[in-house]
Amino acid sequence: MCEEKSKTREITPEEAIRGIAENYQRLEKSYSYQLGIQAPNHRGITGGYRENIWLELFEHIIPKKFCISTGVFIMDSYQNVSKEVDIAIYDEQYTPYIFTDKDRIKYIPIEAVAVAVQCKSENINSNDDVRKWAKSITKLKTSLNALTRIQTSVLDTNLDKLHSFYISQKEKKNIPMKQIQTSTRPILILCKLNGSETELSDTFDIVLSINQKEVNKKGEPYRMKKFILHEKEDLVYWYKQLNHFQLERYGEEEGNKLSEIANDQIKKFKRNLYQLRVVQNDEENITLSLTFQLNQLLMLINNPIFFPHQSYVCMFNKILNQGDGSDGSN
């Protein structure tokens, strides 16, 4: 007599969705507890361990088109180099490493970097030091000076050409060619233990914190918190921050040209990051919310600025030969 096959009940779509959300909550709890572990009398080991936990979290929520690395220095073609970045999220599809040593240290052009993360333990020794770290990144300037093939033609993004674009040979009327991206900057994220989740929120776009000293309503410690200062701002704010960032930094002449080609007359989207929170019973699912919110910001950047090869060649030639390097040759 054949045994009847046991019937397995198929789960409903609603149950599958609830299961996904619960999995994110379990991940959040797991990361939180792991970040609470520390090695006695070995701050360096503990710091490196926590950095790897934060890196795993970002690897879980960031699309695979991006690379994630530690031990990164970001540089620009204006001879600026950032302080060391704990975790950098960047797009290397079009942009080369300036230098890499078996994943132990990397110099990456600012044009490729989408997110810069600073990881701190419980005691942030000096807020001024952290702000200087952030400043070393926000002072980096992207360059519009690329030559690349697109589907319909070859695109030359040289700033002077974009600024002096004219309608026709007959009219020869200069009309700046509007661009939806003139100067990008990385999204800045602070990951830390304890303290107020709003600490340094005036310097970072997103602050993630694990508070080991508090418990939630269920008596559970090590809960993750998230704070985004401009969470309720219309996404136009973020579009301008990430695509037309502080054009005045470039000096009067270059800054004016960038301002004239910047397509920053974007109407309100009537959308904000606050609307992308996942909440159940008045409790936010932090990691699931962060997945949608951070990826929305990445989509506003979308692709990095095409790599300006000549700008970097000119910089190297200028320094190596003590000349101006303006012709891009030796």
Side-chain angles (χ1 to χ4, degrees), residues 48-276:
Y49 163 79
R50 286 174 176 153
E51 189 176 291
N52 286 332
I53 300 301
W54 286 115
L55 185 142
E56 287 181 18
L57 170 63
F58 288 111
E59 285 180 335
H60 189 84
I61 64 178
I62 294 293
K64 296 303 180 185
K65 67 167 280 188
F66 290 98
C67 297
I68 306 179
S69 292
T70 59
V72 168
F73 293 89
I74 310 172
M75 65 185 300
D76 65 15
S77 59
Y78 294 81
Q79 305 178 31
N80 298 309
V81 179
S82 75
K83 296 182 182 296
E84 184 176 358
V85 175
D86 291 333
I87 300 172
I89 299 170
Y90 56 97
D91 189 329
E92 65 177 2
Q93 184 174 2
Y94 302 111
T95 309
Y97 296 110
I98 297 298
F99 175 81
T100 181
D101 178 26
K102 295 181 180 179
D103 292 331
R104 288 178 292 185
I105 186 171
K106 293 185 178 74
Y107 283 83
I108 301 177
I110 182 61
E111 284 79 10
V113 181
V115 181
V117 182
Q118 174 80 313
C119 300
K120 285 293 183 181
S121 294
E122 179 174 353
N123 296 318
I124 299 178
N125 295 328
S126 170
N127 286 352
D128 288 338
D129 288 342
V130 178
R131 288 190 173 91
K132 287 177 182 177
W133 177 89
K135 182 67 175 178
S136 78
I137 295 170
T138 56
K139 77 175 184 180
L140 298 172
K141 297 182 287 189
T142 53
S143 176
L144 287 178
N145 191 18
L147 188 69
T148 185
R149 182 190 65 80
I150 57 177
Q151 186 173 3
T152 56
S153 63
V154 173
L155 175 66
D156 188 343
T157 66
N158 179 276
L159 177 58
D160 289 332
K161 291 187 177 181
L162 294 174
H163 181 259
S164 62
F165 178 77
Y166 52 81
I167 296 177
S168 67
Q169 290 284 350
K170 183 177 180 181
E171 294 183 30
K172 291 191 175 181
K173 182 179 180 181
N174 289 346
I175 296 181
M177 184 182 290
K178 294 293 184 180
Q179 302 291 302
I180 59 172
Q181 189 180 59
T182 53
S183 174
T184 66
R185 69 160 176 89
I187 300 161
L188 297 182
I189 300 178
L190 174 64
C191 297
K192 66 185 185 69
L193 296 182
N194 302 324
S196 168
E197 66 267 29
T198 62
E199 188 176 9
L200 290 166
S201 61
D202 60 332
T203 302
F204 290 84
D205 299 304
I206 300 174
V207 177
L208 298 175
S209 60
I210 304 295
N211 201 319
Q212 301 166 296
K213 300 177 181 179
E214 292 182 5
V215 297
N216 66 358
K217 296 177 181 178
K218 299 177 183 178
E220 298 170 328
Y222 303 128
R223 295 309 303 267
M224 187 178 296
K225 293 186 178 182
K226 169 177 60 67
F227 185 81
I228 303 175
L229 181 62
H230 299 287
E231 192 173 47
K232 294 186 178 181
E233 290 274 3
D234 189 279
L235 287 178
V236 168
Y237 165 84
W238 293 101
Y239 165 79
K240 292 182 178 180
Q241 277 287 305
L242 300 175
N243 294 291
H244 302 297
F245 180 63
Q246 292 185 359
L247 302 184
E248 67 276 4
R249 297 175 303 149
Y250 289 82
E252 185 176 358
E253 182 178 356
E254 189 173 355
N256 287 339
K257 289 180 180 179
L258 286 167
S259 296
E260 289 188 25
I261 70 169
N263 184 12
D264 59 359
Q265 303 302 313
I266 305 295
K267 295 181 179 180
K268 284 193 174 184
F269 298 125
K270 295 183 180 179
R271 299 187 184 193
N272 58 50
L273 296 178
Y274 187 79
Q275 296 167 338
L276 298 179

Side-chain angles (χ1 to χ4, degrees), residues 298-317:
L298 291 174
M299 287 185 68
L300 286 178
I301 304 174
N302 196 9
N303 294 313
I305 287 181
F306 290 117
F307 186 64
H309 296 84
Q310 190 173 32
S311 294
Y312 281 86
V313 169
C314 290
M315 178 190 68
F316 275 102
N317 284 333

